[in-house]
Amino acid sequence: MEAVVPTFAIRLAHFTGRLVPALAAVATLVVVFLVTIVLTDGAGSGFGAWLTTLGAGAVAALWRGRRRTRAARLVPFLPVVVAAVLTASVCIPTVPTARRYPPALPFVATQHWSLATGSQVAVYHYPPANAGTRHPIPFVYLNGGPVRGISVLDHRFLQFLARQGYDVYAYEQAGGGRSDLLPMDQYTISRSVRDLAAFVDRLDKGRVDILGFSSGAVVLTRALADPRVAARLHRTIIAEPGPMDGPTAHITGHKGQLSARGLAPAVTGPRSTRIPRYAAAFGLMRLGLLTPDTGLIGQAEGDNAFTAADLGSDTASGYCARDAHRIPIEDTAQNFSFSPAASLRVQQTVKDSPSIAPQLKRSQTPAMLMIAECSSQVRQWATAVLADDSAIQRTQYMPGVGHHMWNGLDDNNDRAAAVITAFLQDKPAPLPNYPARDEIPAFLRDHK
């Protein structure tokens, strides 16, 4: 019995001595593959990098086996085969590569408009449902994202405004939702502003009131800085804006009160980022190692693959910590649509843009700024707009809500609508005008 144990130990050590180098060889080849993916920007769906890695591995295996017996020469090829199988999974699509658009919504008709810019956008119209109180100015909603479909939660809020007599229109920006895709190099923040102007022209109902939320608020802010576009706008509401230009995008500052990020239960559902191909593509794009126009996955394939669960804690960051365990379902799996590559591309064009502060200072379009108590946005993104846009007539600091201020919880929709409608009708604000411009330093100090 005593001789068996040493014999087993010797065999285990011998096996381990062979296994560890083999695993190291596999890991090395996987790293070589990923580096080649980055260097080639994923050309040919990654097969160029795969063939390069396979070739390099085969050459190395031949070199290591050159002094072995004929049968033993095959052993160094085992890590090459294993690495080839693992990395091939990054090169093979698992979803359709042609765009699959969300099905029609059951509660509103989807119209498709061709804009003068060349964009083909999906449009939704909620006519005023209150015959006794109808407002003559059309109301347009710009959703966040960027390049994301309008959520069912937002559609419900738009219906809520229509029941108060507003003639509500919304469109999904090019590439988002049911709108047609653009070539990747055409996704820019300036294109989004031109599409807004073209949409108002296509609507052909004179000047419009506009609510821009999150990245939609960025589009609206930049529209206010362009007199040609601003002339089409009646009253504007900038809600929880992202950075408006390059200098603002590089600000690192305070955020709002604690959000539900990290506190809410983990998001359930399928994730594309658990599939090697999309984990590699989206991860490397997010790190800036692949371009949004990468040859690894096409725009349509990436849109088809990306799911609501891939947003992870981003959804929770739109709610206050106190709401962590009752975050509403914002969308359905069938309606959810997000273009990660196009979104990164638009955001990069914002970061690369010069300051719009000089142009924004000349704006004369009446505006209101909405800021959430538990905002996940950098506070200076909003206060920069307040400081530079002299036409902002009131600021409404919304207590008890996060970034997604109208969310169906408690009376949040009523409170958001009260603030919005009071401004549109030029009635007294339901909340104090806070912060005012001269209160920005104190606001940044006290609300962080």
Side-chain angles (χ1 to χ4, degrees):
M1 181 66 180
E2 290 79 359
V4 174
V5 175
T7 301
F8 175 76
I10 291 170
R11 289 179 177 177
L12 179 62
H14 183 67
F15 174 75
T16 303
R18 289 188 173 184
L19 180 62
V20 171
L23 292 176
V26 171
T28 299
L29 289 171
V30 170
V31 170
V32 169
F33 172 73
L34 292 175
V35 170
T36 310
I37 284 282
V38 171
L39 292 177
T40 60
D41 198 28
S45 196
F47 278 109
W50 186 78
L51 290 172
T52 300
T53 304
L54 188 62
V59 170
L62 286 170
W63 176 261
R64 287 197 300 272
R66 71 190 186 283
R67 295 180 180 176
R68 301 187 182 192
T69 63
R70 184 176 300 234
R73 288 175 187 171
L74 297 176
V75 174
F77 282 90
L78 182 59
V80 179
V81 173
V82 173
V85 172
L86 290 175
T87 53
S89 64
V90 176
C91 304
I92 301 172
T94 60
V95 300
T97 56
R99 182 71 175 104
R100 293 183 306 180
Y101 293 93
L105 291 165
F107 49 80
V108 63
T110 305
Q111 305 174 46
H112 293 278
W113 289 9
S114 298
L115 304 182
T117 56
S119 296
Q120 309 287 324
V121 297
V123 180
Y124 309 94
H125 180 210
Y126 293 103
N130 188 337
T133 308
R134 295 200 173 207
H135 304 282
I137 307 295
F139 178 93
V140 175
Y141 176 61
L142 286 175
N143 67 299
V147 198
R148 180 175 177 176
I150 299 174
S151 70
V152 170
L153 198 63
D154 280 0
H155 274 290
R156 290 175 184 151
F157 185 64
L158 299 180
Q159 291 173 314
F160 184 80
L161 292 175
R163 287 196 295 270
Q164 298 190 39
Y166 289 91
D167 192 18
V168 178
Y169 290 85
Y171 70 94
E172 288 168 321
Q173 296 172 49
R178 296 164 184 81
S179 294
D180 287 1
L181 307 182
L182 295 175
M184 190 58 67
D185 61 358
Q186 293 186 28
Y187 289 106
T188 65
I189 190 62
S190 58
R191 173 60 174 265
S192 299
V193 174
R194 294 197 303 273
D195 280 351
L196 169 60
F199 176 82
V200 177
D201 288 345
R202 175 71 169 75
L203 184 59
D204 196 25
K205 292 193 173 185
R207 293 193 301 164
V208 301
D209 293 330
I210 293 193
L211 165 63
F213 167 64
S214 194
S215 63
V218 176
V219 176
L220 180 54
T221 301
R222 295 181 70 95
L224 292 172
D226 185 335
R228 295 166 299 178
V229 183
R232 298 166 167 87
L233 312 180
H234 179 248
R235 283 180 169 260
T236 58
I237 301 162
I238 302 166
E240 281 285 286
M244 64 182 181
D245 54 24
T248 312
H250 290 93
I251 291 175
T252 56
H254 304 299
K255 297 185 180 181
Q257 297 298 316
L258 186 64
S259 78
R261 181 189 288 269
L263 302 174
V267 180
T268 59
R271 297 189 181 203
S272 68
T273 46
R274 290 175 178 163
I275 301 171
R277 177 172 175 82
Y278 307 112
F282 297 147
L284 292 173
M285 275 193 283
R286 189 71 180 263
L287 293 172
L289 298 175
L290 288 180
T291 67
D293 202 16
T294 176
L296 182 57
I297 61 170
Q299 178 189 172
E301 182 189 348
D303 294 3
N304 293 339
F306 203 88
T307 69
D310 285 323
L311 293 174
S313 59
D314 282 358
T315 298
S317 70
Y319 295 83
C320 291
R322 66 179 71 94
D323 296 325
H325 294 280
R326 59 169 194 157
I327 294 175
I329 296 174
E330 294 192 344
D331 215 346
T332 63
Q334 293 75 24
N335 184 64
F336 178 81
S337 170
F338 181 70
S339 178
S343 180
L344 288 172
R345 164 77 181 163
V346 172
Q347 292 177 63
Q348 189 60 51
T349 64
V350 174
K351 293 177 183 177
D352 293 341
S353 68
S355 172
I356 64 169
Q359 295 88 348
L360 192 59
K361 289 181 185 296
R362 294 193 289 271
S363 174
Q364 297 180 347
T365 306
M368 177 178 73
L369 178 66
M370 296 177 69
I371 304 176
E373 178 186 9
C374 309
S375 178
S376 55
Q377 308 285 78
V378 174
R379 288 295 196 197
Q380 285 90 334
W381 294 348
T383 58
V385 179
L386 176 60
D388 293 329
D389 186 353
S390 58
I392 290 182
Q393 298 179 347
R394 64 179 73 170
T395 304
Q396 301 284 267
Y397 177 73
M398 305 292 292
V401 293
H403 180 60
H404 206 151
M405 292 181 284
W406 42 88
N407 51 42
L409 297 176
D410 303 327
D411 64 343
N412 292 342
N413 282 12
D414 297 89
R415 292 194 297 127
V419 164
I420 291 167
T421 58
F423 174 71
L424 295 181
Q425 298 174 37
D426 199 20
K427 293 182 178 179
L431 297 171
N433 181 32
Y434 175 77
R437 286 182 188 83
D438 58 0
E439 296 174 309
I440 290 175
F443 174 77
L444 294 175
R445 183 185 65 245
D446 299 338
H447 293 274
K448 61 182 180 179

